[in-house]
């Protein structure tokens, strides 16, 4: 639960920072009159919405990690070795995220051709990541670490599965953005969508890096032999 | 009107790029509608309908407790199924959905001065996913083996083991339904939060929001962060049940046979469940707090006492509610220092809560109290909440909780604090806002009858249960049988409680009759029958039209509580009324 508290502390800090800007000590019963600034953010609502959604998703993964580490401490823990393939998959996801970042920069500069290329590359790399994850599942399964083999294996499938589903959901949003981009609308019209996709991708990449690090840290071989063996 | 839009830093009266959704056909106007007001009604009707199922279940439970074994439809298995479904429906599918999906959808846009929620399409999806969750839940009643009987807490390992009713399909459908509910809620929740953040009209600062909005807003944030825990727990248990994993399942020998499970931890489930479960109490309570604050202020013609403190207390309660979940696990064999920690944090929550109660009382103090029906319900809430809160302080202490845990005392406590109290607010809120929603008043006399039967009846039901708990009558028992410690008079008491429960339940028909009758025959309400200051009462049309505000969004000049302002002509000043002397 420590990790959950850490996460909640971060959320609490953001909330506190936001509340601090809302003049919580104002005396609303005294100051009738017109107020120019209501304290709303200049960002578009969609971005704020995505931010709130990511906080919820973050909470979900934090709880999964908490459950994982709580279960780990309870003993009788036989984690599966981390498949080497995950390194390659990680690379794919980094490329995917990078491609969307590139598309975002292009959108800001008004280069529709590059936006399209970036979106396409982002989508393809993300699909490659998903395919890689599936192969990794097959490998583990073949090595005897199937879903019901033990709790550690079950956690591995659960956590990577939930993460994969979030990428899959992202593909839907990405698909809709691509649809717009290919319909030949002005760059300005897709910019927000591209930015939202990029943010989401960076976020799922970040989550993946944390999950991957967690898996590596608790990997039996790494734990016995150190990081670079 | 003066041209205020020209003043610097003030956004124009109408933001251009707001694309208001327009219904094109009957279906998109009343069925697949994206207007938050319609979604609110859909949410409310669905929640109340399924709530009625839970009410009928409570009758069946009570009948069995009063007349053990008399009714053939209440077998032991059925009893557990009824108790489970009753609890789950009441907490999640009725109260959570009604406060956030119902009141939230209707009131947030109107109270902040918006035309609609910020993401209307997602908002509509939210309702349909919720409806699907309810359908799946109802389906479990008809599935082979019936709904789950695991208790609303669904504790593993028994929840998914042979011997628990509904093990076959009931538990699966229950978990799927919860997962759907959470997905649907998240869609709605994003709307409620972002609309409050970004949808406020000109001049509407956070500190000018009515406390109803603050209550729903904080409760939604709480729910968005707490429901993932239930989501994770449900998914993991679904895996255990369907795919045979062992997240929560230890090695078990049943009937001399080793089950295929092994290595899981039931305590892990309890942590996840209560990490959600305690905030859930406040997900239901915070909107109630907010609504009651507004009802009390309007109907006693006085500004709310200590507005800032009320806001801070809401935030403080929301934060604290994440570190008290362990008080539901005192008897799980937890480490004593943990017990100490959770007991302390539980008692600390009482401080901001007490502040709220004091402020309500001080608002009433020397107010011009109108004992309208909404006011009666609001007052009923305060009394009931204090009552349940005090028994909560008892139970928060490990040493008191251990003997009382799993007795009728706990049942009495949580029904007072999160059953009856919020339901009273729901009714108060409906009597208060019905005129805005329909344009007609609810009948006053029928409302009073409804209030007194419900309020007094609730006390007849739950007060005696405290005593039953003291003498050790356990909860979730189909039948007590002969015991050394429960006197025969307890059976008589049980009959009396059941009689009260049947009467209270039946009295709700008065309410439903009133709601339907008044729709056609009620007194015309006009735009602002309570002479209330908050923005939802200042709409150009009643019921508010599509887009809420006619041509131009309102401009807000003051907070929502300008009642009986000295020197003002009227006894209230609407939020959108400019100050008499220009501010600068
Ligand atoms: C007319 C109103 C109600 C009556 C007569 C009633 C009665 C009961 C009874 C007799 C039990 C079973 C006690 C036992 O043997 O363990 C019960 C359980 C429960 N009720 Fe109610 N109830 C009512 C309304 C509500 C409401 C509004 C809520 C919403 C919070 C609620 C939440 C629960 C919960 C969570 C349980 C525990 C279920 C379990 O043990 O798994 N009830 N109720
Ligand atoms: Cu609690």
């Amino acid at each position: 639960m420590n990790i959950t508290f850490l996460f909640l502390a971060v959320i609490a800090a953001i909330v506190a920072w936001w509340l601090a800007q809302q003049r919580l000590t104002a005396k609303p019963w005294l100051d009738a009159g017109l107020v120019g600034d209501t304290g709303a953010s200049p960002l578009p609502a969609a971005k704020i919405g995505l931010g709130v959604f990511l906080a919820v998703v973050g909470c979900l993964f934090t709880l999964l990690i908490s459950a994982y580490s709580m279960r780990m401490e309870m003993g009788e823990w036989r984690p599966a070795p981390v498949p080497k393939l995950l390194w390659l998959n990680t690379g794919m996801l980094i490329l995917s995220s990078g491609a969307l970042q590139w598309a975002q920069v292009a959108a800001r500069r008004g280069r529709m051709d590059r936006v399209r290329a970036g979106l396409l590359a982002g989508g393809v790399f993300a699909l490659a990541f998903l395919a890689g994850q599936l192969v990794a599942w097959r490998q583990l399964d073949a090595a005897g670490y199937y879903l019901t083999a033990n709790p550690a294996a079950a956690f591995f499938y659960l956590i990577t599965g939930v993460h994969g589903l979030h990428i899959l959901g992202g593909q839907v949003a990405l698909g809709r953005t691509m649809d717009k981009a290919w319909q030949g609308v002005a760059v300005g019209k897709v910019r927000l969508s591209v930015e939202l996709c990029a943010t989401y991708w960076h976020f799922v990449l970040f989550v993946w890096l944390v999950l991957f690090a967690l898996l590596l840290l608790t990997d039996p071989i790494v734990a016995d032999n150190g990081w670079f063996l | 009107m003066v041209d205020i839009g020209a003043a610097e830093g003030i956004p124009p009266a109408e933001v251009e790029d707001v694309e208001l959704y327009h219904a094109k056909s009957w279906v998109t106007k009343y069925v697949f509608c994206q207007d938050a007001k319609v979604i609110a009604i859909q949410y409310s009707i669905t929640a109340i309908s399924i709530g009625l199922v839970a009410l009928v279940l409570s009758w069946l439970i009570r009948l069995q407790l009063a007349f053990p074994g008399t009714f053939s439809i209440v077998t032991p298995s059925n009893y557990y199924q009824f108790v489970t479904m009753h609890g789950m429906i009441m907490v999640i599918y009725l109260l959570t959905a009604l406060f956030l999906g119902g009141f939230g959808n209707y009131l947030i846009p109107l109270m902040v001065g918006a035309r609609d929620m910020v993401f209307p399409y997602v908002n509509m999806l939210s309702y349909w996913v919720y409806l699907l969750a309810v359908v799946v839940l109802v389906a479990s009643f008809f599935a082979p083996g019936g709904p789950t009987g695991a208790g609303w807490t669904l504790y593993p390992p028994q929840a998914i083991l042979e011997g628990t009713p509904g093990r076959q399909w009931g538990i699966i459908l229950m978990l799927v339904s919860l997962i759907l509910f959470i997905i649907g809620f998240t869609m709605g929740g994003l709307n409620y939060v972002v609309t409050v953040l970004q949808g406020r009209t000109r001049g509407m600062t956070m500190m000018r929001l009515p406390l109803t909005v603050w209550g729903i807003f904080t409760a939604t944030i709480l729910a968005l962060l707490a429901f993932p825990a239930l989501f994770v727990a449900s998914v993991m248990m679904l895996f255990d049940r369907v795919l045979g994993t062992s997240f929560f399942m230890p090695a078990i020998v049943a009937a001399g046979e080793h089950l295929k499970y092994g290595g899981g931890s039931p305590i892990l489930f309890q942590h996840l469940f209560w990490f959600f479960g305690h905030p859930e109490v406040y997900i239901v309570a915070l909107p109630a707090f907010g609504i009651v604050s507004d009802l009390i202020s309007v109907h006693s013609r006085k500004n709310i006492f200590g507005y800032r403190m009320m806001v801070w207390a809401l935030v403080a309660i929301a934060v604290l509610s994440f570190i008290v979940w362990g008080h539901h696990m005192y008897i799980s064999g937890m480490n004593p220092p943990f017990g100490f920690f959770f007991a302390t944090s539980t008692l600390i929550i009482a401080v901001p809560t007490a502040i709220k109660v004091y402020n309500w009382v001080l608002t009433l103090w020397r107010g011009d109290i109108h004992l309208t029906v909404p006011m009666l319900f609001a007052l009923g809430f305060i009394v009931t909440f204090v009552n349940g809160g005090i028994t909560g302080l008892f139970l928060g202490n490990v040493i008191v909780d251990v003997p009382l845990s799993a007795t009728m005392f706990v049942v009495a406590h949580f029904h007072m604090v999160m059953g009856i109290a919020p339901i009273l607010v729901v009714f108060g809120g409906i009597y208060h806002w019905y005129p805005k929603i329909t344009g007609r008043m609810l009948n006053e006399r029928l409302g009073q009858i409804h209030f007194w039967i419900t309020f007094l009846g609730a006390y007849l039901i739950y007060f005696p249960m405290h005593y039953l708990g003291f003498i050790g009558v356990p909860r979730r028992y189909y039948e007590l049988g002969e015991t050394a410690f429960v006197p025969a008079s307890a059976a008589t008491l049980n009959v009396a409680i059941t009689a009260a429960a049947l009467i209270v339940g039946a009295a709700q028909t008065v309410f439903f009759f009133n709601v339907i009758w008044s729709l056609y025959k009620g007194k015309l309400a006009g735009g602002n029958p309570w002479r209330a200051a908050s923005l939802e009462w200042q709409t150009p049309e009643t019921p508010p039209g599509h887009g809420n505000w006619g041509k131009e969004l309102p401009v807000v000049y003051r907070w929502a509580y300008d009642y009986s302002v000295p020197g003002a002509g009227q006894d209230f000043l609407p939020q959108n009324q400019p100050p008499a002397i220009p501010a600068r």
Side-chain angles (χ1 to χ4, degrees), chain B residues 274 277-278 281 324-325 327-328:
Chain B
W274 288 113
H278 187 82
V281 175
V324 300
W325 80 91
H327 63 214
H328 297 275

Short mmCIF file of all heavy atoms in Angstrom, two decimals, chain B residues 274 277-278 281 324-325 327-328, ligand 2:
data_model
loop_
_atom_site.label_atom_id
_atom_site.label_comp_id
_atom_site.label_asym_id
_atom_site.label_seq_id
_atom_site.Cartn_x
_atom_site.Cartn_y
_atom_site.Cartn_z
N TRP B 274 -11.97 -2.69 1.07
CA TRP B 274 -12.26 -1.58 2.00
C TRP B 274 -11.53 -0.31 1.63
O TRP B 274 -11.93 0.78 2.04
CB TRP B 274 -11.98 -2.00 3.44
CG TRP B 274 -13.03 -2.97 3.90
CD1 TRP B 274 -12.84 -4.29 4.20
CD2 TRP B 274 -14.44 -2.71 4.06
NE1 TRP B 274 -14.04 -4.87 4.53
CE2 TRP B 274 -15.03 -3.93 4.46
CE3 TRP B 274 -15.24 -1.59 3.91
CZ2 TRP B 274 -16.40 -4.04 4.70
CZ3 TRP B 274 -16.58 -1.70 4.15
CH2 TRP B 274 -17.15 -2.91 4.55
N GLY B 277 -14.27 0.58 -0.05
CA GLY B 277 -15.50 0.56 0.73
C GLY B 277 -15.65 1.71 1.70
O GLY B 277 -16.74 2.25 1.85
N HIS B 278 -14.56 2.11 2.34
CA HIS B 278 -14.78 3.24 3.22
C HIS B 278 -15.05 4.53 2.47
O HIS B 278 -16.04 5.20 2.76
CB HIS B 278 -13.71 3.43 4.28
CG HIS B 278 -14.16 4.50 5.21
ND1 HIS B 278 -15.03 4.26 6.24
CD2 HIS B 278 -14.04 5.84 5.15
CE1 HIS B 278 -15.38 5.39 6.80
NE2 HIS B 278 -14.79 6.37 6.16
N VAL B 281 -18.59 5.21 1.61
CA VAL B 281 -19.49 5.83 2.58
C VAL B 281 -19.56 7.34 2.33
O VAL B 281 -20.63 7.94 2.35
CB VAL B 281 -19.00 5.57 4.01
CG1 VAL B 281 -19.88 6.30 5.01
CG2 VAL B 281 -18.99 4.09 4.30
N VAL B 324 -8.58 5.35 6.45
CA VAL B 324 -9.29 4.77 7.60
C VAL B 324 -9.85 3.38 7.29
O VAL B 324 -10.52 2.79 8.13
CB VAL B 324 -10.45 5.67 8.06
CG1 VAL B 324 -9.96 7.01 8.47
CG2 VAL B 324 -11.49 5.80 6.98
N TRP B 325 -9.57 2.85 6.08
CA TRP B 325 -10.30 1.64 5.68
C TRP B 325 -10.09 0.48 6.65
O TRP B 325 -10.95 -0.38 6.76
CB TRP B 325 -9.93 1.25 4.26
CG TRP B 325 -8.64 0.51 4.13
CD1 TRP B 325 -8.50 -0.84 4.17
CD2 TRP B 325 -7.33 1.06 3.95
NE1 TRP B 325 -7.18 -1.17 4.02
CE2 TRP B 325 -6.44 -0.04 3.88
CE3 TRP B 325 -6.81 2.34 3.83
CZ2 TRP B 325 -5.06 0.14 3.71
CZ3 TRP B 325 -5.45 2.50 3.66
CH2 TRP B 325 -4.60 1.42 3.61
N HIS B 327 -10.51 0.20 9.63
CA HIS B 327 -11.45 0.00 10.74
C HIS B 327 -12.52 -1.04 10.40
O HIS B 327 -13.28 -1.43 11.26
CB HIS B 327 -12.06 1.31 11.24
CG HIS B 327 -12.90 2.05 10.23
ND1 HIS B 327 -12.96 3.42 10.20
CD2 HIS B 327 -13.68 1.63 9.23
CE1 HIS B 327 -13.76 3.79 9.23
NE2 HIS B 327 -14.20 2.74 8.63
N HIS B 328 -12.55 -1.47 9.14
CA HIS B 328 -13.46 -2.57 8.80
C HIS B 328 -12.79 -3.92 8.97
O HIS B 328 -13.40 -4.95 8.71
CB HIS B 328 -13.94 -2.43 7.36
CG HIS B 328 -14.74 -1.18 7.13
ND1 HIS B 328 -16.08 -1.10 7.39
CD2 HIS B 328 -14.38 0.05 6.70
CE1 HIS B 328 -16.51 0.12 7.11
NE2 HIS B 328 -15.50 0.84 6.71
CU1 LIG C 2 -15.42 2.82 7.09
#
